[in-house]
Amino acid sequence: MPYRGLPYFVSEQAGAGNRVDPYASERHALPDCAQGVRYSSAPRSDERRVTPYRACQTVCPPRARASRIDAQPALSDVEPLRILAAVMLMAVVAVVAAFVGIGVANGFTGIVDGAVLSIDSSNTASENVALSTAPSEWEQGTVPQLYQADYQWADRPYGSGTMGSSGAAPLSLAMVHACLTGDTATGPVEVASLAQRKGYADQPNATALLTDGAAEIGLTARLVEASELALRRQLNAGFPVICAVSSDAFGGRATYIVLCGIDEHSRLVVCDPGSVDRSEKRWSFDDVLSASTSMWAYGVAG
């Protein structure tokens, strides 16, 4: 039976009256590989010949490799540079987060500390807060700032109370002594101890301490007239003045302050042992003189 699935060309013409098997006398011009069946151009024999099957790549392409979607990645597929970059990125993020956390914690701690360590003008002693000028910074010609609320002596007994509540006079005298002599050995504690030994601390006012007590530590005290001219004269000559005041401007009760000098605006420079705020303020002569009850100018005993 002739194959009728593909066209072919006849290469030899049969003679008249003779029937020739087209597969025996004709040669195909098509390739000998089609649809996986090999055809021979030789004459057919009576015996059917079976040829082995050979798949044509153009018709039946080779089967693709099985997908490895579900398979675990091979070690050779892992890129070391990408792993290293990921590790470094995570390290940088961790460091930045740590610094941000530390900054936020420090900022919050600073706010809390500032609120805790704020100075109350009512002279409430704050533990472990050194408000005063350190003795290492005392120098002759400058009045150091010493405060009753300083933890170094605020709770020390003095008179019927403590230095924090009643120690304005000994602190004022200690400031004047440090300014005139530059001596760091005689501070508020030493002056308060002297006042207690001599009984000055039990007096209704500090006049005895500020006059007789001053003489015992090498100072002279002169009573100053309550006038701007007299006050200017003493301060311009370099003599600090201790002033007893009693008014609402200075806490509403009797206390003692040191007049240190006169600034460029002709206002008084004051060191008030009972208040940091009042010490930083500049005062007019009228304000101080109107609140004053007594004033003493000091010098070094000759």
Side-chain angles (χ1 to χ4, degrees), residues 132-154:
S132 305
T133 304
S136 59
E137 299 177 6
W138 295 0
E139 59 182 14
Q140 189 173 6
T142 302
V143 177
Q145 294 182 337
L146 306 179
Y147 296 102
Q148 294 172 245
D150 198 305
Y151 79 97
Q152 300 175 83
W153 48 71

Side-chain angles (χ1 to χ4, degrees), residues 168-169 204-207 210-211 222-227 231 241-248 250 252-259 285-297:
N205 58 59
T207 301
L210 297 177
T211 54
R222 299 182 302 275
L223 192 63
V224 178
E225 180 186 351
S227 68
L231 195 54
V241 174
I242 294 180
C243 183
V245 293
S246 179
S247 72
D248 292 339
F250 291 95
R253 60 189 180 92
T255 187
Y256 298 87
I257 62 175
V258 179
L259 307 182
F285 281 88
D286 291 339
D287 289 339
V288 172
L289 290 172
S290 63
S292 173
T293 57
S294 300
M295 291 187 293
W296 298 269

Side-chain angles (χ1 to χ4, degrees), residues 220-241:
T220 61
R222 299 182 302 275
L223 192 63
V224 178
E225 180 186 351
S227 68
E228 180 177 345
L229 181 60
L231 195 54
R232 283 182 179 274
R233 185 181 295 115
Q234 297 298 325
L235 293 175
N236 289 334
F239 300 122
V241 174

Side-chain angles (χ1 to χ4, degrees), residues 94-150:
V95 171
V96 171
F99 276 107
V100 171
I102 292 173
V104 172
N106 288 340
F108 180 76
T109 302
I111 294 173
V112 173
D113 290 343
V116 171
L117 299 180
S118 60
I119 301 169
D120 189 356
S121 60
S122 63
N123 301 329
T124 301
S126 181
E127 186 178 359
N128 295 332
V129 178
L131 306 176
S132 305
T133 304
S136 59
E137 299 177 6
W138 295 0
E139 59 182 14
Q140 189 173 6
T142 302
V143 177
Q145 294 182 337
L146 306 179
Y147 296 102
Q148 294 172 245
D150 198 305

